[in-house]
Amino acid sequence: HHGHPVEANWCHNRRIILIAGIANPTPLVETLIAHGAMEVQPVLLPDHVRPSPIDWKNWQAQALQTQAVLVTTLKDWVKAPQDPGFWD
């Protein structure tokens, strides 16, 4: 959804790749599962690390290959490439 908040039930029966630079992602993973996520694969980032555009492209490719959705926190989303064409 390109950085826009969405209703929690959007994740029902979906695979999710969670990109997160948070100390304890367990509550977020549990929330996604409680809202129906089929599978959540966390990718944990060290705090204050800005992933490279290549990292984001690799995660995007992995999501496409596994029919997953990339999910991140707002804190980490602002570190992602913001050029709309990047995500096409």
Side-chain angles (χ1 to χ4, degrees):
H1 291 273
H2 301 287
H4 301 287
V6 294
E7 294 296 321
N9 64 354
W10 69 268
C11 63
H12 186 72
N13 285 335
R14 292 187 185 228
R15 289 182 174 87
I16 294 172
I17 297 173
L18 174 64
I19 312 298
I22 53 180
N24 181 8
T26 303
L28 181 52
V29 170
E30 289 173 350
T31 297
L32 291 168
I33 291 171
H35 285 284
M38 182 170 34
E39 177 186 336
V40 179
Q41 176 187 346
V43 175
L44 305 180
L45 305 174
D47 204 16
H48 305 295
V49 167
R50 179 181 290 272
S52 73
I54 292 170
D55 292 327
W56 288 103
K57 279 294 188 188
N58 287 340
W59 294 324
Q60 183 182 36
Q62 181 182 0
L64 289 171
Q65 289 172 352
T66 61
Q67 297 180 329
V69 177
L70 283 182
V71 174
T72 191
T73 64
L74 183 57
K75 174 186 148 202
D76 294 306
W77 174 248
V78 299
K79 299 175 188 175
Q82 299 300 312
D83 173 21
F86 182 87
W87 299 100
D88 292 339

